[in-house]
Amino acid sequence: MSKFYIADLHLGHENVIRHDGRPFSDTAEMHAALVKNWNNAVGDNDEVYILGDFAWKNAEGLEALGELKGRKFLILGNHDKPTEEMKSCFEWVKDHAVIKDGGDQVVMCHYPVAHWYNQFRGAVHLYGHVHNNNDYHAFKKYADICRDMDIPFECYNVGCMLDYMGYTPRTLEEIRGGNNR
């Protein structure tokens, strides 16, 4: 059993294709690619933590949930408005969470957090929300300032559109290996 992470799928959100420069002609093509990539990476017994903005439209979210492998956990994002039916497809739905992944403590929130629980004890922070826009670059600059000041700051944006994510859920090891922070 492995643990995977991903954020900002925005299923059913036509404008996000243009906003992020996603390589899809429409939401149907995006949906098909996300499901294919997910199921090629994730096994039936794996856990997948979705760090917000799963579905712009609940109908498309419900459809995808029936197609996606693994046990799914949802951290709510600003665009998530899951119905009770949709919530029942997740192991849990929370605003934020702290889990163990191997020997690592992982602090998950849809939003980037400047200072998080157990940051000074080695906890890793995963987030989404800021896509690959100016907010993301501003937060990366803040992270660099903190690191330069010897403040522990291991955090990663797991937005699906980022190059190292490739519209695919990734393990913590993959995220660490593919991300230049």
Side-chain angles (χ1 to χ4, degrees):
M1 189 272 305
S2 295
K3 293 182 181 181
F4 292 84
Y5 308 90
I6 194 164
D8 299 304
L9 284 84
H10 284 265
L11 292 168
H13 189 181
E14 192 74 41
N15 287 338
V16 81
I17 295 169
R18 179 184 44 78
H19 173 73
D20 285 343
R22 294 184 182 200
F24 310 110
S25 60
D26 57 27
T27 58
E29 182 183 357
M30 182 172 71
H31 178 108
L34 288 166
V35 169
K36 178 183 175 194
N37 291 356
W38 179 302
N39 288 337
N40 285 339
V42 175
D44 289 331
N45 295 319
D46 291 333
E47 295 178 356
V48 183
Y49 295 86
I50 304 162
L51 277 65
D53 289 357
F54 173 65
W56 182 257
K57 295 182 178 177
N58 283 338
E60 293 196 30
L62 271 171
E63 179 185 338
L65 286 165
E67 300 174 271
L68 298 170
K69 292 180 184 176
R71 297 174 51 223
K72 294 163 275 304
F73 303 78
L74 179 63
I75 301 292
L76 290 169
N78 54 303
H79 293 298
D80 293 310
K81 308 288 187 267
T83 62
E84 290 304 315
E85 180 183 13
M86 182 180 266
K87 287 179 185 177
S88 72
C89 297
F90 294 99
E91 299 291 321
W92 51 247
V93 176
K94 298 181 179 184
D95 290 323
H96 53 82
V98 179
I99 64 165
K100 288 292 277 182
D101 186 341
D104 292 298
Q105 189 172 54
V106 180
V107 177
M108 300 177 293
C109 184
H110 179 60
Y111 309 97
V113 177
H115 298 280
W116 56 91
Y117 176 76
N118 275 343
Q119 175 179 353
F120 285 85
R121 292 190 174 102
V124 178
H125 172 43
L126 301 180
Y127 64 93
H129 182 64
V130 292
H131 295 237
N132 54 0
N133 62 26
N134 286 337
D135 292 339
Y136 175 45
H137 298 293
F139 187 71
K140 284 177 67 171
K141 285 182 181 182
Y142 179 74
D144 289 341
I145 290 167
C146 288
R147 288 186 202 103
D148 289 346
M149 297 175 68
D150 293 323
I151 297 170
F153 218 90
E154 187 179 6
C155 59
Y156 304 99
N157 183 345
V158 295
C160 68
M161 78 299 300
L162 296 167
D163 288 342
Y164 56 89
M165 294 300 292
Y167 302 96
T168 305
R170 300 289 183 194
T171 65
L172 185 57
E173 182 179 333
E174 290 172 321
I175 293 163
R176 283 174 161 155
N179 184 312
N180 64 7
R181 289 204 235 186

